[in-house]
Amino acid sequence: MEGMSYQRFPRVKIRELKDDYCKFELRDTDVSMANALRRVMIAEVPTVAIDLVEIEVNSSVLNDEFIAHRLGLVPLTSERAMAMRFSRDCDACDGDGQCEYCSVEFHLRAKCITDQTLDVTSKDLYSSDHTVVPVDFSDSAGYDSSEQRGITIVKLRRGQELRLRAIARKGIGKDHAKWSPAATVTFMYEPDIHINEDMMETLSLEEKQSWVDSSPTKVFDIDPNTQQVIVADPEAYTYDDEVIKKAESMGKPGLISIRAKEDSFIFTVESTGAVKASQLVLNAIEILKTKLDAVRLSEDTEGADDQFGELGAHMRVG
């Protein structure tokens, strides 16, 4: 029946998993749930980022505001961000945002005393909490760990100095992009591609090759043994309809049938390094469940108001 809803049990299948990258399938659900999961990963999974900077000395070529902005965008390891308090809700420091429950303090002291340019990087940020430190990209980038590379904040010449104190706080990407744990999160409908084999056999090898080459991406190929057109990589299809237009121009409408599976999605998640990609997905699911519980509770309370009127509302308040 149209408009009827029914309970679904989504399934997840992991295809590829790295510390900063995850690719998985989400099946047996609809696009509203897939997009909700994507948006939560980008904007509502909390991380820790520098939010307050007190600069003592700055004789570099960059002004104070520029350095503060660059510090805010340095990703910090945020495995314990879910357990931390938001500074505005912290009762230990009355919302001041400078206590061990809702913040982490950093210090940076750098001075160039030689003629060689000094690179001040995220490696120079010293944290008061060893669990919240700047993300180290040396391993993933293939650099020699002995080089101790970090994210460049500023470069100093002889006599120039930078001294500052910074406070990192918990936040979400909805408030500022510096708190977003995701570099990118995308999903696509899984394509369902069917080739009309009988119609394809009426084409010559040159016509088959011309049709295969009409696809901007390498979706189709020709088997060198059987000389039949095969679907080499269905997920490379970008829903551009070029092969369908080519078939119609060749006088072969119906040669190919392509549709999007409405209940199957392929997700690609890239993390900034603040949290692992796998943990990012798990945290997003946990937050989404909490939001859905809140929606369910609001529906229940509205139903109670309809049934009991003012008594139901009074019972909720009291």
Side-chain angles (χ1 to χ4, degrees), residues 94-108:
D94 295 329
D96 187 38
Q98 297 191 39
C99 72
E100 59 180 329
Y101 300 105
C102 66
S103 65
V104 178
E105 187 172 330
F106 288 85
H107 289 274
L108 188 151

Side-chain angles (χ1 to χ4, degrees), residues 124-142:
D124 297 309
L125 282 168
Y126 294 96
S127 172
S128 62
D129 184 345
H130 70 277
T131 63
V132 181
V133 295
V135 174
D136 184 7
F137 292 101
S138 59
D139 295 336
S140 59

Side-chain angles (χ1 to χ4, degrees), residues 213-269:
D213 293 339
S214 68
S215 176
T217 52
K218 190 69 173 178
V219 181
F220 306 95
D221 203 355
I222 297 178
D223 190 315
N225 299 320
T226 62
Q227 294 187 347
Q228 289 184 333
V229 176
I230 58 174
V231 182
D233 185 7
E235 291 170 21
Y237 185 66
T238 57
Y239 296 96
D240 46 58
D241 292 342
E242 289 298 324
V243 289
I244 296 175
K245 295 174 185 175
K246 179 65 174 179
E248 291 174 352
S249 68
M250 296 170 68
K252 302 290 183 180
L255 179 66
I256 184 78
S257 170
I258 304 175
R259 71 175 186 86
K261 296 181 181 179
E262 299 292 336
D263 63 347
S264 184
F265 310 92
I266 301 168
F267 271 79
T268 301
V269 179

